[in-house]
Amino acid sequence: MTTSILTSPKRLTRRQRFSEWVDRQASTLFITPAVVLILVFSIFPLVASLIIAFSRFRLGAGSYKVRWVGFKNFEKQFFGSEQFHFLGTFKGMSLFGWVVTIAAALLLIWWLYRYCKTRFWWLGFIGRIISALVFFGIVLLFSATLLSGTQFGTLGVTLFYVFVGCALQFGIGLGIALLCAQPIRGRTFFRVLFFIPLMITPIGIGYAFRMLADTTKGPFSPVWQWAGLGDFSWATDPWAARIFIVIGDSWQWIPFVFIILLAALENIPKDQQEAAEVDGASGWQIFREITWPQLLPVAATVMLIRMIEAFKLVDLPNIMTAGGPGIATESMSLHSYFAWRSLDLGQSAAIAYLLLFVTVVLCVSFFNYVVIGKLRQAA
Amino acid sequence: MQSSATEDAKRLSLRNLNKSFGSVHVVKDLSIEIEPGEFLVLLGPSGCGKTTALRMVAGLETVDSGSIELGGEDITNALPKYRDIAMVFQSYALYPHKTVAENMGFPLKVAGVARADVDAAVRETAAQVHMIEYLDRFPRELSGGQRQRVALGRAMIRRPYAFLMDEPLSNLDAKLRGHMRAELKHMQHDLGTTTIYVTHDQIEAMTLAHRVAIMNEGVLQQLGTPREVYDQPATLFVAGFMGSPPMNFVHGSIDNQRFTSTNVNLPVSANGSSVKSVLGFRPEDSEVGVAGSGLFDATVFASEQTGEYTLVTVVLGDDTMTIKMPRDFDAAIHSSVSVSFPTDKGFLFDKVSGNRESIHLVGG
Amino acid sequence: MAYIRKRTLLNRIFEAPAIGKMAPGTALFVYACLLFWTLVVAFPLYWILITSLKTAQDVNGGPFFIPWVDFTPSLHAWKELFVFDYEDTLRSYTNSIVIALLSTLLCISVGSMAAYALARITYKPKFGNILLFVIAMIAGMYTTWKFGVDWKLTIAAAVAVWFLLVRSIGRFFKKSVGNGDILFWMISQRILPPIVTVVPIYMMFQNLKLLDTHIALILTYTVVNLPIVVWLMYDFMNSIPIELEESAQLDGASRLRTFWEIVLPLAKPGLAATTLLVLILAWNEYILAVFLSTSNAQTIPILVSAMNAGERGILWWSMCVVIIIMIIPVVFMAILLQRFISKGVLLGAVKG
């Protein structure tokens, strides 16, 4: 007969009782710090920011005055004196603009109609209506500015950074990931080297690209001189400046797409590829039939993460072009930052809130209509 | 051997194949001639090089030296897709994002076969592997046995020259394994397709194979029909690997035409190639009796009832032996018993080289 | 039927001779692309390095590429920052180190605790209680805004009232939210552009007289990076076999002890990766530092942009020195990290 070496105490000491109480509260203790931190530094500022967005805010000596102004701050962005800055300059719509707008409208209506036909859930329907309206607004915005020959504002610039930047980063990131998945020598070397830009401070990248882009003193100036573009400056042409910023942003973020897609590629069981080889598939068939479908869920998730971060882009345009020429490279974050710097807090908060709205609608749409479907397929 | 060999039947020859991974020589000088329609099993413990050999035949592994020929044509360096062979992987390698029908139709689809023909072939093959009701399912919705059938179907659909199977039954539970084994044998017989089958399970090898090739540490130990391999093991390794429970061994020495060990002293027909020797006999060929009445005496270690028979484990010096006795037999632990077997069922092996000696016990 | 097709010239160039090998044509293309991308990645870094060795004349006099060949490298910028101006440099550098390390420590401990709790403990906060909390907060803020009561007081009052309400009428609420909702709520905080929250945070710290201190930046960075930690660690925690924790609990260990002695050591690889990632994000952060620090808590990215402020234009050489000393520790971390990060994020990405 054996006896336990632990004898059970008849009476708990005060310390034991305390530790038992702590243990019972463990579920609360574990999560409270995170919840409190988020409430204080994320939710409270969010609500406060909303209040500021509806107020006129004046910083005085040591104190501030707040006055409720309703939707004035927002009105100003959409219809008032700041319209050119936020949305862009409107001078009537071109024919091509009309065609694109109407086509988009029809397409969205057809999409909604198809949703109603296949399955209907009122919350899903409302969500789709909001998405459709925002998409239509975006198409309308670009039709009325870009396609009608006028300049778009910070909203358009932000969307340009998000869509063009993400597309570029995905394309090149996938390309290098595929290259590195080949049986190459020095794979680890390339992996580490290609990963490094992600780790470098955006501000350093901003200034480094300013040096590189200098057409008179930068390293590529001989090329520019030779091409007869010695007087050309990236920072004075709106489109050149925007592309310039997208290049800087992509240089930093391609590694992120690359490293995750490469891991996903390596994660696809090798025997599937071998089975396809034995079954007679060519390299391209293997990619299209085996690799690509299994890469999609990861690709969609990576692009979602990239989109979320791209909406926040602020340091690069600030450093590389300071938003110029004019407002050509000013993202909404930068717009809001400039408004804050000129102490117009109400404006700043209103723009920030508009940015939040666009970000949430587009990211949630992308998540709901693209990512979830792909993940469900994979699960 | 029942083979559906036709006029243009081709034989698959592996000639002096060698393969090393770094400094590890995994396949050493492997040469096998495989007849058309033959079911050949590569048998051996894990890491013996059998899977590597199979992958070389498939073209998934390059060959260091030697050649693979198919009907006199050298395919050593041909890409897998030009070899007209199909493979069933241990993990089945089903494409998770494709349905059963898409998985099975894939080899035809990539070959550019018209859609309608692919569908027809898929239905026909699915019927053969009893998967016709599951064509729209995804692999994750199938049981292990069903996945196995899909993998088989995908291999069959192309009517390839040869099937290569890499431990296809190892992921199934015991009951299903027995069932699938019978189906495989039946199917291979009907199709008459040359099959190379890799396994570490000697029951599978015995039941399925026309011929078994036993490998150890990259070296082919013995190639022969299951009967031959079982009854005439060429080496100590083959003898110890085949059979369940495996062959018993008594380590001793041969001197003056006598095999001696602890408590053992038996006459043999001649002296062996070296002094150190091993005497082997199968559990089912031997029996235990009253001490002093058999070939030698040993002590009972345990006596286990399996229901079908009784396994008696006895200890002799450093050797442990298992003897299969009728199910009503019982022996007390620690008691002393005799062990006996017909002298022509005893095998003598050279301890040093592992090869079987051509000598035998002399009846006494 | 011939098993080996005749290999045409095109075949010979672009079709692999065997599995695991590349055809000459493919190999040429692949290595050319890799070389090109290597240049794209390395050239900006190289340019930063050589610019830090240039004098003003070298920078302004047109492009010079190779030290000792077309210009004479000088260490004047390095000397300036490390000998004459070393106080400023050192302060920014130590500020950055302290802020990055402490915020990472805080973020990791708070985040992994929350992640563990969400992975293992079932939470069922009542929907009504959450609603009450929001109402109490808005009421509190409204009071501050309308009547000018000190905001700290109203917040405390609101929390107290909410607590009493939960204790009294909380049990009548039926609907509750689950772990998944809490997890989503925490992770979704990452969507918030910092610009939305930074102004109120700025005002809050101003009010608490904490502007331009380490604490302000540490706390803000912690919250900004918290979603990443929760997201990544949740998956790592989930991948730990629950049997280990159950056996620890049967052996009489408390939750805290289980977490400390069983879970954390097992989650080490994930913890290491997440730590490095958060550390780098905190190290590189710029826009929040612009808002919340001026001179005292100035971090190193601010020092970089400070090289742009003088009346002499941009001091490219000094700026490059600062960028280099910022990059060096990060490159080492990148080498450590690249294997981890892909695995970690992949885990999250595939599981959703």
Side-chain angles (χ1 to χ4, degrees), chain A residues 76-112:
Chain A
K76 210 164 155 192
Q77 304 302 324
F78 281 100
F79 310 107
S81 58
E82 283 285 302
Q83 189 193 50
F84 82 97
H85 199 165
F86 175 63
L87 292 176
T89 327
F90 299 108
K91 259 192 254 148
M93 187 108 90
S94 70
L95 184 66
F96 186 47
W98 278 117
V99 171
V100 171
T101 313
I102 291 166
L106 290 177
L107 216 68
L108 288 168
I109 288 169
W110 180 74
W111 178 62
L112 282 174

Side-chain angles (χ1 to χ4, degrees), chain A residues 271 274 276 285 289 294 379, chain B residues 55 91 97-98 109-110 140:
Chain A
D271 56 1
E274 289 178 343
Q285 279 169 327
E289 299 269 346
Q294 298 195 64
Chain B
R55 289 169 60 85
S91 60
H97 56 287
K98 290 179 182 290
K109 186 180 172 189
V110 294
R140 61 173 176 274

Side-chain angles (χ1 to χ4, degrees), chain A residues 271-272 274-282 285 289-290 293-294 377 379, chain B residues 55 81 85 89 91 93-98 106-107 109-110 140 154 158:
Chain A
D271 56 1
Q272 288 179 20
E274 289 178 343
E277 293 273 358
V278 174
D279 285 341
S282 67
Q285 279 169 327
E289 299 269 346
I290 312 296
Q294 298 195 64
Q377 267 171 27
Chain B
R55 289 169 60 85
K81 57 180 168 179
I85 42 173
F89 289 74
S91 60
L94 298 180
Y95 311 124
H97 56 287
K98 290 179 182 290
F106 184 73
K109 186 180 172 189
V110 294
R140 61 173 176 274
R154 191 174 70 187
R158 230 163 15 115

